[in-house]
Amino acid sequence: MHLVLSGEGNSDLGLFCQYQNEFIAGSMYFIIDKIIEQQYDFSYYTLKDEMITFIPKVELKKFTKKLPPFTGKKGSKGTAYFTNNAIALAKIANDKSEELNDDVIAILFRDSDGTNSTAKGMWEEKVASIENGFKMEKFTQGVAMVPKPKSEAWLICALKNKPYENCEELEERSGNDKSPNNLKDELDSFNISNDKINEMIQNGQIEIDKIDMPSFKYFSTKLKELL
């Protein structure tokens, strides 16, 4: 089984380092890796050159420009964007599956974001639009990884003063980094480096199975169903 991944930035799934010619994972990837490790008893990241294809957001965007236009659901801002991203990633995954003669799981990471006033229904729409893009390509091995409202919320759940308690409340927070008491600043206030967070996920100090948040459970359940 091979992974095809695409995220938004260095701090979520990670980045492709041109200088080193390798994928360097972020914290959201290590959550994926831990879920897989629980099933297969080894880390995909240790064999990343053979087991993982990472598509930077800018490269996926270039690929989407080659696709026929998909306008999306009327009135749903961003629906077409997410659907087109999923269509593009599904095409790449199908090609990779044919090339390797192996099963491929594609994971598209996008934050839900939004302010308190716009967030209602936004997560559901974005997940549905990604899943619709996979379906349009008849690709059944695709997973939408959409934290609500953003990836910092999942990490704060595990790192806050009373970890894993009442974490659903974090999903009701604004995803706007300019809002008062925003999630990005809260995570930064813990003074834990990204490398340390990654290490904590890998060694089990962050217990991902205890993250009791609907958006996290939806993603982890969908991924486990394909493993």
Side-chain angles (χ1 to χ4, degrees), residues 64-84:
T64 62
K65 290 181 178 179
K66 302 175 185 177
L67 301 174
F70 175 76
T71 58
K73 180 180 173 184
K74 187 176 180 181
S76 298
K77 183 179 179 182
T79 297
Y81 167 77
F82 286 91
T83 300
N84 281 331

Side-chain angles (χ1 to χ4, degrees), residues 73-198:
K73 180 180 173 184
K74 187 176 180 181
S76 298
K77 183 179 179 182
T79 297
Y81 167 77
F82 286 91
T83 300
N84 281 331
N85 277 201
I87 291 170
L89 196 65
K91 285 181 177 292
I92 293 168
N94 276 326
D95 288 347
K96 181 61 69 172
S97 179
E98 187 173 329
E99 174 193 334
L100 299 175
N101 192 28
D102 195 5
D103 289 337
V104 170
I105 291 177
I107 300 175
L108 180 60
F109 174 94
R110 293 291 183 265
D111 280 321
S112 176
D113 290 326
T115 63
N116 289 335
S117 60
T118 63
K120 188 176 182 180
M122 183 178 289
W123 179 84
E124 289 83 357
E125 282 190 359
K126 290 186 176 181
V127 170
S129 66
I130 291 172
E131 292 179 345
N132 186 46
F134 289 139
K135 288 176 184 175
M136 289 173 70
E137 280 302 304
K138 297 180 174 59
F139 183 71
T140 61
Q141 299 279 101
V143 186
M145 188 179 195
V146 185
K148 182 181 179 183
K150 59 194 311 173
S151 59
E152 284 87 347
W154 288 2
L155 298 174
I156 289 169
C157 175
L159 297 171
K160 63 192 181 80
N161 188 40
K162 294 184 178 180
Y164 313 111
E165 291 187 14
N166 303 314
C167 289
E168 285 190 30
E169 296 173 359
L170 293 166
E171 295 202 341
E172 304 308 314
R173 300 265 295 274
S174 172
N176 186 341
D177 290 343
K178 295 181 180 179
S179 67
N181 304 313
N182 66 75
L183 293 165
K184 183 179 184 300
D185 286 349
E186 183 171 342
L187 183 62
D188 289 344
S189 73
F190 299 147
N191 294 315
I192 305 174
S193 70
N194 289 335
D195 286 344
K196 181 62 177 177
I197 290 173
N198 295 345

Side-chain angles (χ1 to χ4, degrees), residues 38-54:
Q38 289 172 345
Q39 179 74 21
Y40 292 114
D41 204 30
F42 77 97
S43 167
Y44 257 52
Y45 197 60
T46 61
L47 299 170
K48 60 183 178 180
D49 291 343
E50 295 83 23
M51 309 294 279
I52 300 171
T53 297
F54 179 74

